Amino acid sequence: MISFDIQCANGHLFEGYFKDYDAFDKQLNAGLVECPLCNSREIKRLFTGCSIQTNNSFSDKKQPAFFEMIRMVESYIKQHFENVGNEFPEVARAIYYGIEEERNIYGTASHEDMEELLDEGIPILPVPKIDDVEQ
Ligand SMILES: [Zn+2]
């Protein structure tokens, strides 16, 4: 489908949808295109632009909602992981070395802390601080 901006002799603006440009041209020449407001058939196409309509319009496809994904991860973590807050580096280390019971935890750690933990081979995953994320 193709759409054209059309104006009638009375100055009404409307959009016409046609199979293609030829279909528009034929209907126009045959006097089949009329203004939906006043039924005037004295119409002209405005060359302000045209748009192509396809069945798989991009606007129909929901873009991956990045921030929604982050929030889902956050809510998953909050439900299934224990919040150890600032103790994160110590607790992560304690769990890794078998001092504390094995469990999933989350908390805050400085960049340095995280690097140390990773250097020691402790599996941690940095996640964005959600509260700072703006949409
Ligand atoms: Zn009109």
Side-chain angles (χ1 to χ4, degrees), residues 72-122:
M72 278 168 63
V73 169
E74 184 202 35
S75 99
Y76 179 87
I77 289 171
K78 281 184 174 170
Q79 277 172 40
H80 298 92
F81 288 56
E82 183 191 331
N83 185 4
V84 295
N86 294 329
E87 310 278 286
F88 182 82
E90 290 75 29
V91 179
R93 204 168 266 122
I95 291 170
Y96 182 73
Y97 291 110
I99 298 162
E100 284 199 29
E101 181 199 348
E102 199 172 319
R103 63 197 194 274
N104 293 322
I105 57 163
Y106 74 100
T108 52
S110 70
H111 192 75
E112 258 177 29
D113 285 333
M114 287 195 288
E115 272 187 358
E116 279 175 24
L117 290 168
L118 287 168
D119 281 348
E120 288 175 52
I122 299 171

Side-chain angles (χ1 to χ4, degrees), residues 22-73:
D22 274 356
F24 165 74
D25 210 35
K26 274 180 194 148
Q27 287 184 47
L28 183 67
N29 290 330
L32 295 173
V33 183
E34 63 175 34
C35 172
L37 295 168
C38 65
N39 298 326
S40 166
R41 293 193 181 186
E42 276 182 66
I43 62 132
K44 63 177 181 186
R45 180 187 162 197
L46 293 178
F47 287 89
T48 52
C50 74
S51 58
I52 307 292
Q53 310 279 321
T54 69
N55 289 333
N56 292 320
S57 169
F58 282 113
S59 59
D60 290 343
K61 280 185 189 166
K62 225 181 159 212
Q63 295 289 317
F66 182 67
F67 290 112
E68 237 166 72
M69 265 169 53
I70 292 177
R71 290 210 179 84
M72 278 168 63
V73 169

